[in-house]
Amino acid sequence: QILYSHAIHASGFFIAFFVSLVLTCAAFFIVYRTQILKWSFCSENQEIQHELSRNHKLEHSLFNSGDLFSEDIIMNDQIINILSFEDSGNMLQALEDLEVATLTRADADLELYRMQICKEVIAVMMKNMVLSHSLFPHVEKRMSSVFKKQFLAMEKEIQEEYERKTVALTAECNLETRKKMEAQHQKARNANEEAEELMKKMNEKPAVEYRSLLDRLHRLEQDHLKRFLLVKQEEYFAKAYRQLAVTQRKELHNIFFTQITNATFKGELKLEAAKTLVEDYSKIQGDIEELMDFLQASKKYHLNRRFAYREYLISKIQLRDSQASALINAAATQIPSLINKMERAGHLPESHLGVLLDRAEAEINSVKQKFDHDLKQEKQKLCQKLITKRRREMLQKKEHRKEQLSLGDPFRTTKEVTHYLSHWKKLLGDHTIEFEELTEKFDNEASEDLKELLFSLTEKTVEELKRVQYGIFVQELVKLSVPKMFLLEAVEEHKKEMVVKHEQLEREEHDKSMAAEELLQLTRQKLSQELEMSLLEQKKLRSWEQLVFMQLLSLPLSLSEEELLRMRQELHCCFSQVDSSLAWPKIRARTLLQAFELEQKDTELLKVDQNLAMTSKQQHSKMKKPGSRNRNKLDILKKSLQDKIFIYEDSMKDENLNKVSANL
């Protein structure tokens, strides 16, 4: 028997609650004392870390771009996917998209380097003023602190403005896309409704063919519209990015000159010292612009070289795909050819011909499907393996680069600004060359591995088709009383044909590969010449800048020191914009090309519609019977759809490419 006591139950609850409370408080007290001890040892270190984090929050990113090196690695992985999985016809388009993304990323890298170099050069100049006794240490410390805060505030403001522009542009682009896509869908719905009405009056087969053509045209129209909108939006974002980059450059100059003016006004900086500092700043800015011109031209050269090599690899892959398809099709064609040959020779009854040909088609399709499936599966495995290897080695290079950059710290406190700029030039130049050599090596390895995989599976598929021919159909024909000697002669002839076909394809591949290699070498020579020319032209432009600058300063103008300082400031703001962008010319070219292509297609489509209207009117007056009229109308509409499909699938003409070049 169990006796319940509420008093004992309640007292047990309160005792347990009290004990738990005491233990919890004791635990909190121990943790608190431990943390106090830990904080007392680490407080100074944490303050330093916080200061570093605060001051360098955006140090290694323009518009909060993150880890540039890691992003470059991830973007480089995309070439593996393009080479492995992209349809042969779309490879060059996918490569161009990747090129634009890479050029945009490179522009961000260069802008980051520019800001970092400019800020560190100002810091070095301020320290040199102290060493030359032109500035008190406490004043230098205060001014450096103000510079850091204002630079950080500037970067934060630019980042916020970039985010605002991105949100606004994205919303605008989405709205434009939605409107245009809705209009396109409405047009497609109207065409489908009209087609449905017409097909109700027609036989099934012509109606199905017409509907198939109509669906194909709608897909092409949507694809072209999406492409047009994508390129247009790309231009919007590129413009916004460039505007903000220029704003940031100008703001940096404004911060420097404002601080110098304020320090002079307060008497912290003597007028003569301020003049010397400003003159040094002007000279160093010229050196920085020259360095950035070199880095930009060098980056452009190496990226153009990279993508020229990738185009060369794509041409080789397309050639291999074509060769593999030709070999498989040649081996497959021999099976129905053997059956037909036996029937024509009178050794195979006509009643068995259809059955054997249907079976042959089924066997061939089965082998081809297995080839496609196996190729896709093996490519996925190989792709993952290549990306893993590529990332591992790239990350090792990244760590090595970090060490190099950390070794650059002493240069940030050097008195020699020229030495510091030379160090940056060598460091970034060496890194670019090393990275490009590594990228080319990985791209080539990927291409060769894909080649081995394709040829291995192609060889297996050809052997499987031979097995189907010899092991199945030859035996089947023997069972149907086809003379064995006649069969063996045909089989031997087929073997010789395959050897000849293989040799022919190898010769074609060799000739086309040699032509592609020659084109690659010519492209590389042209790029080297363009590099020299661009550096020379930019150097002339910078010389002109200096000439204008010196002439303005030497003019007999009655300007105050403050007005002269403002004039210098404005000139630096202007001259900092006299550079090109890596991505913009490519993006602009794509936009112009799309505009010319759209204009050409619209003109040709209008002609097709006009011809359709005219032909329909003529046929309507000739045809009297409704059935004949409907059939004839369907034929005219089908012809019109075929013409429109051809217009959409037709590539850009050379004259339009020349128009784009002239416009650029």
Side-chain angles (χ1 to χ4, degrees), residues 352 359 471-482 487:
H352 291 91
R359 189 178 169 188
I472 297 176
F473 287 95
V474 168
Q475 298 302 321
E476 197 66 32
L477 290 166
V478 168
K479 287 178 187 175
L480 293 169
S481 304
V482 175
L487 267 173

Side-chain angles (χ1 to χ4, degrees), residues 368-400:
K368 284 186 175 181
Q369 284 171 7
K370 186 176 185 306
F371 168 76
D372 291 336
H373 177 267
D374 290 350
L375 184 61
K376 187 178 178 182
Q377 293 291 321
E378 291 301 318
K379 274 186 177 180
Q380 284 175 343
K381 291 177 190 173
L382 178 60
C383 186
Q384 193 56 48
K385 180 183 168 186
L386 289 169
I387 287 174
T388 304
K389 181 186 175 185
R390 192 184 193 103
R391 285 190 180 182
R392 186 175 60 247
E393 293 199 33
M394 287 288 192
L395 287 170
Q396 286 174 359
K397 292 292 177 187
K398 177 187 173 183
E399 293 304 316
H400 177 59

Side-chain angles (χ1 to χ4, degrees), residues 382-567:
L382 178 60
C383 186
Q384 193 56 48
K385 180 183 168 186
L386 289 169
I387 287 174
T388 304
K389 181 186 175 185
R390 192 184 193 103
R391 285 190 180 182
R392 186 175 60 247
E393 293 199 33
M394 287 288 192
L395 287 170
Q396 286 174 359
K397 292 292 177 187
K398 177 187 173 183
E399 293 304 316
H400 177 59
R401 186 189 175 207
K402 276 185 177 177
E403 289 174 15
Q404 285 182 315
L405 286 171
S406 66
L407 289 173
D409 287 339
F411 290 94
R412 296 174 187 177
T413 54
T414 182
K415 289 191 290 182
E416 287 294 331
V417 176
T418 344
H419 192 187
Y420 166 75
L421 294 178
S422 300
H423 168 71
W424 263 102
K425 184 177 181 179
K426 185 176 186 310
L427 185 67
L428 294 176
D430 290 350
H431 165 67
T432 301
I433 292 168
E434 186 181 14
F435 186 79
E436 291 304 322
E437 284 176 353
L438 199 60
T439 301
E440 187 171 310
K441 171 178 164 277
F442 286 140
D443 289 350
N444 186 56
E445 284 177 1
S447 174
E448 289 302 313
D449 287 347
L450 286 166
K451 174 187 175 181
E452 287 178 19
L453 173 62
L454 179 65
F455 283 177
S456 170
L457 288 175
T458 302
E459 194 177 330
K460 284 180 184 176
T461 304
V462 169
E463 288 301 317
E464 180 62 20
L465 288 168
K466 285 178 182 177
R467 186 196 65 77
V468 169
Q469 183 181 180
Y470 309 148
I472 297 176
F473 287 95
V474 168
Q475 298 302 321
E476 197 66 32
L477 290 166
V478 168
K479 287 178 187 175
L480 293 169
S481 304
V482 175
K484 197 169 184 180
M485 288 303 295
F486 191 74
L487 267 173
L488 290 174
E489 283 176 13
V491 166
E492 284 302 316
E493 190 180 327
H494 281 179
K495 285 180 181 177
K496 288 175 184 176
E497 284 175 4
M498 282 302 294
V499 170
V500 170
K501 184 71 175 176
H502 201 280
E503 288 174 354
Q504 178 200 339
L505 289 170
E506 281 187 341
R507 280 196 304 274
E508 285 177 8
E509 186 195 10
H510 177 265
D511 293 344
K512 288 179 180 177
S513 293
M514 290 298 290
E517 282 179 25
E518 285 176 15
L519 180 62
L520 178 64
Q521 292 305 319
L522 288 171
T523 305
R524 286 180 167 176
Q525 287 173 14
K526 186 183 174 185
L527 289 174
S528 298
Q529 290 167 1
E530 284 177 1
L531 172 63
E532 290 175 10
M533 287 299 295
S534 65
L535 285 171
L536 190 63
E537 285 173 10
Q538 198 66 8
K539 197 171 182 180
K540 285 179 183 176
L541 197 59
R542 296 299 178 191
S543 300
W544 170 81
E545 278 181 17
Q546 288 301 314
L547 185 64
V548 170
F549 190 68
M550 296 311 295
Q551 284 180 344
L552 281 170
L553 291 176
S554 63
L555 286 174
L557 301 171
S558 54
L559 298 175
S560 65
E561 291 298 331
E562 187 180 346
E563 287 170 331
L564 279 170
L565 199 65
R566 198 177 301 121
M567 186 174 74

Side-chain angles (χ1 to χ4, degrees), residues 252-275:
L252 187 136
H253 291 307
N254 292 341
I255 288 170
F256 174 79
F257 280 98
T258 303
Q259 284 306 305
I260 298 305
T261 305
N262 291 344
T264 310
F265 180 75
K266 290 177 183 177
E268 294 174 338
L269 192 63
K270 291 178 183 177
L271 189 59
E272 287 304 316
K275 281 183 181 179

Side-chain angles (χ1 to χ4, degrees), residues 148-197:
K148 281 183 181 178
K149 285 176 184 175
Q150 291 194 347
F151 289 151
L152 189 62
M154 172 191 72
E155 289 170 355
K156 187 180 178 184
E157 190 179 335
I158 292 288
Q159 168 63 25
E160 287 171 356
E161 181 61 23
Y162 178 70
E163 287 171 0
R164 281 195 295 271
K165 277 184 179 283
T166 302
V167 169
L169 280 174
T170 303
E172 186 183 332
C173 292
N174 286 344
L175 181 63
E176 184 183 12
T177 302
R178 189 163 59 249
K179 282 181 179 177
K180 287 190 180 292
M181 290 306 291
E182 281 175 3
Q184 183 63 44
H185 287 313
Q186 184 59 48
K187 181 183 171 185
R189 279 194 294 271
N190 294 341
N192 285 335
E193 286 170 9
E194 189 181 334
E196 289 292 337
E197 286 299 318

Side-chain angles (χ1 to χ4, degrees), residues 119-137 139-141 143-144 147 256 269 273-274 276-278 280-281 283-284 410-421:
K119 288 185 291 183
E120 288 173 355
V121 159
I122 290 171
V124 171
M125 287 175 64
M126 298 303 293
K127 285 184 172 61
N128 286 346
M129 291 292 287
V130 175
L131 293 172
S132 63
H133 306 292
S134 302
L135 194 66
F136 290 113
V139 176
E140 184 272 330
K141 191 174 181 182
M143 287 181 72
S144 295
F147 276 131
F256 174 79
L269 192 63
T276 307
L277 184 61
V278 167
D280 289 346
Y281 181 80
K283 182 184 178 302
I284 289 163
F411 290 94
R412 296 174 187 177
T413 54
T414 182
K415 289 191 290 182
E416 287 294 331
V417 176
T418 344
H419 192 187
Y420 166 75
L421 294 178

Side-chain angles (χ1 to χ4, degrees), residues 545-609:
E545 278 181 17
Q546 288 301 314
L547 185 64
V548 170
F549 190 68
M550 296 311 295
Q551 284 180 344
L552 281 170
L553 291 176
S554 63
L555 286 174
L557 301 171
S558 54
L559 298 175
S560 65
E561 291 298 331
E562 187 180 346
E563 287 170 331
L564 279 170
L565 199 65
R566 198 177 301 121
M567 186 174 74
R568 276 184 182 270
Q569 180 180 333
E570 286 299 323
L571 285 168
H572 282 302
C573 288
C574 291
F575 293 158
S576 66
Q577 302 173 48
V578 187
D579 69 329
S580 182
S581 161
L582 295 175
W584 177 250
K586 188 77 179 177
I587 290 169
R588 185 66 186 140
R590 277 153 67 100
T591 309
L592 288 172
L593 197 61
Q594 285 277 19
F596 280 124
E597 189 176 15
L598 187 67
E599 185 184 349
Q600 177 184 301
K601 287 188 190 305
D602 285 347
T603 305
E604 291 179 6
L605 289 168
L606 182 62
K607 285 179 185 175
V608 171
D609 287 334

